[in-house]
Amino acid sequence: MLRIAHIVSGNDTGGAMTHIVTLSKALKEECELTLVVIRDGAIVHEAERLGIPVRIIGSGGTKHLFKEVNQFGEYAKTHFDLIHSHGTRANLIGAYLFKRFKIKSVSTTHSDYRLEYPVTLRGMVLRSMNYWCYRKIPYHIGISQKMCDTLKTRGVKASAIYPATNGIDVDRYTVVHTKSSFFEQFNIDPSPYAHIIGIVARIHSVKGLDIFIKSAIEVCRTHDDVLFVIAGGGDPQLKAELQSLIDQSPYKERIRFLGRIEAIGEFYNAIDINILTSLNETFPYVLMEGGYFGKPAIASNVGGVSELIEDQKTGLLFASGDVSALSEHMIRLMNQPEYGAELGSALRKVVLEKHTAKSMAMRHIAIYEAILSQK
């Protein structure tokens, strides 16, 4: 049986955290898996809840991290067949373990670091670190074919790149609330609204939430029976700017931030149309999650989105940043609920046939075996 160690920073959030936890849970049924965490965080508690073995190597703080990494490297030489890292800090450790202890290493690229990190001193340092890891880690997994193509442009050999799209753990999305009782938690009465349009996104500039809000304002100008809701936490300064954009319109009661929602299935169950406005994505969980609930999707055509959403067959696509196009798509699905139901049903079928946690785990097992078979 394969012995795999996944290394993560511990402060992973959003789709990256969902991916790591979902993959780890599925993989532990197929191989001996340990989640190695640089520092304690939410991902540790979620992993322990799911029975995923966890090892923390940053318990002594940054001062003792190098010593702990070396101790782990000595252990890993005889206890793991392969190290799989996720994220900048974890990739640095993965690269070091490969060079120092000759342990085979692979990294998953969850997003394009050139778009994820701002052009600041800190951002430039993180970009440089990512570029260095691309050159030092011998094998790489791209979450979409588009990301695999991007890795090639960053100097990674094509023979060292493997595609492995995301998958969802259907057991994660339990629902106990009705639409009304769900919204009651946020002091919202959904009964006046014929349509509820939602987006799940980390509050970060790359998620394009200003596009969602501007489109919502356009739709509200001509339709008084629609409610827009935003689920997710993140940058408080950006949230304040986005809230100001909402407050400057006459529709602040119909465009609402709900905050971070743990039982995210409840959110998808309560909305009618699922939106993605990102400026960059690989293979977003939010579209698969909404699809599992049969919700029609409208998404910006970026990254690997078109590998899941086939325009006008499993959802509707629009050019990133095009407020008018997004507004028109929203109105179309509001006016044609039967068509929206067809799109949602088609997307659900694709998700259940190709993008479950089990299928994602088996794709990774095949990649691990391919890597380990190489000298």
Side-chain angles (χ1 to χ4, degrees):
M1 181 176 283
L2 292 177
R3 302 170 302 168
I4 308 297
H6 279 206
I7 304 182
V8 299
S9 69
N11 62 348
D12 311 85
T13 60
M17 176 175 169
T18 300
H19 171 88
I20 294 161
V21 171
T22 301
L23 177 58
S24 297
K25 180 187 174 187
L27 278 176
K28 76 181 181 70
E29 304 300 324
E30 309 295 334
C31 64
E32 292 183 19
L33 181 124
T34 300
L35 186 64
V36 180
V37 182
I38 300 171
R39 65 181 182 187
D40 199 355
I43 197 169
V44 171
H45 308 298
E46 181 66 8
E48 291 175 340
R49 186 183 70 82
L50 295 171
I52 300 168
V54 176
R55 177 171 179 153
I56 301 175
I57 60 172
S59 56
T62 304
K63 181 180 178 180
H64 301 286
L65 181 59
F66 184 72
K67 178 182 178 181
E68 292 185 53
V69 168
N70 276 296
Q71 290 174 342
F72 173 73
E74 293 289 350
Y75 175 85
K77 281 193 303 183
T78 56
H79 287 77
F80 297 111
D81 301 309
L82 183 139
I83 299 293
H84 185 169
S85 58
H86 306 258
T88 305
R89 296 180 72 202
N91 288 343
L92 288 170
I93 291 174
Y96 175 76
L97 293 173
F98 170 68
K99 290 296 182 182
R100 172 72 174 80
F101 297 97
K102 309 304 179 186
I103 305 170
K104 286 199 171 182
S105 299
V106 62
S107 167
T108 290
T109 298
H110 293 273
S111 61
D112 186 343
Y113 67 86
R114 290 187 180 178
L115 297 174
E116 189 75 16
Y117 299 122
V119 186
T120 61
L121 178 59
R122 179 178 181 275
M124 294 302 291
V125 170
L126 290 169
R127 289 179 181 212
S128 298
M129 289 166 62
N130 275 273
Y131 180 71
W132 184 84
C133 290
Y134 279 166
R135 297 173 64 84
K136 298 302 180 182
I137 294 176
Y139 303 102
H140 298 266
I141 295 173
I143 295 297
S144 65
Q145 187 57 55
K146 177 71 173 178
M147 181 51 67
C148 290
D149 294 340
T150 298
L151 287 171
K152 294 175 190 176
T153 69
R154 305 289 158 79
V156 181
K157 294 180 181 179
S159 59
I161 303 171
Y162 298 87
T165 53
N166 288 331
I168 65 169
D169 176 8
V170 297
D171 295 333
R172 182 171 179 257
Y173 305 103
T174 56
V175 174
V176 298
H177 287 94
T178 64
K179 178 181 290 190
S180 294
S181 63
F182 172 76
F183 282 113
E184 280 176 8
Q185 302 171 85
F186 307 97
N187 296 316
I188 295 173
D189 177 8
S191 60
Y193 305 109
H195 314 280
I196 299 178
I197 300 179
I199 185 169
V200 178
R202 176 167 48 100
I203 301 176
H204 186 288
S205 57
V206 78
K207 297 302 181 180
L209 285 170
D210 58 321
I211 304 303
F212 177 79
I213 291 168
K214 290 173 184 177
S215 296
I217 291 171
E218 276 200 6
V219 174
C220 284
R221 288 193 180 108
T222 56
H223 295 72
D224 59 8
D225 61 347
V226 56
L227 172 69
F228 293 88
V229 286
I230 303 166
D235 184 345
Q237 181 177 342
L238 178 58
K239 181 180 178 181
E241 294 171 3
L242 295 171
Q243 186 63 58
S244 177
L245 179 61
I246 295 169
D247 291 342
Q248 291 170 27
S249 78
Y251 311 111
K252 61 182 181 180
E253 292 302 315
R254 294 203 278 141
I255 307 173
R256 304 282 293 273
F257 280 99
L258 304 187
R260 191 171 185 274
I261 298 173
E262 292 291 338
I264 197 62
E266 300 278 10
F267 179 86
Y268 291 113
N269 184 62
I271 65 173
D272 301 305
I273 301 170
N274 188 32
I275 308 295
L276 181 138
T277 52
S278 298
L279 310 182
N280 174 55
E281 285 288 352
T282 46
F283 202 87
Y285 268 91
V286 296
L287 295 178
M288 291 187 293
E289 291 170 336
Y292 174 67
F293 281 89
K295 306 301 178 177
I298 306 173
S300 49
N301 191 4
V302 296
V305 167
S306 62
E307 296 172 38
L308 176 65
I309 302 296
E310 186 176 358
D311 192 33
Q312 301 190 58
K313 293 187 177 180
T314 56
L316 298 177
L317 298 176
F318 68 97
S320 178
D322 192 335
V323 171
S324 295
L326 174 55
S327 302
E328 290 170 5
H329 282 335
M330 289 176 177
I331 292 171
R332 179 182 182 185
L333 293 188
M334 289 164 59
N335 291 337
Q336 300 177 9
E338 297 86 0
Y339 178 52
E342 290 175 9
L343 293 177
S345 177
L347 181 55
R348 176 179 166 82
K349 182 178 179 182
V350 170
V351 169
L352 292 179
E353 288 181 355
K354 298 181 179 180
H355 301 296
T356 63
K358 173 74 171 181
S359 61
M360 175 173 62
M362 297 315 296
R363 284 192 284 271
H364 280 76
I365 291 291
I367 291 170
Y368 297 155
E369 291 175 341
I371 291 172
L372 292 170
S373 69
Q374 300 183 38
K375 300 297 183 181

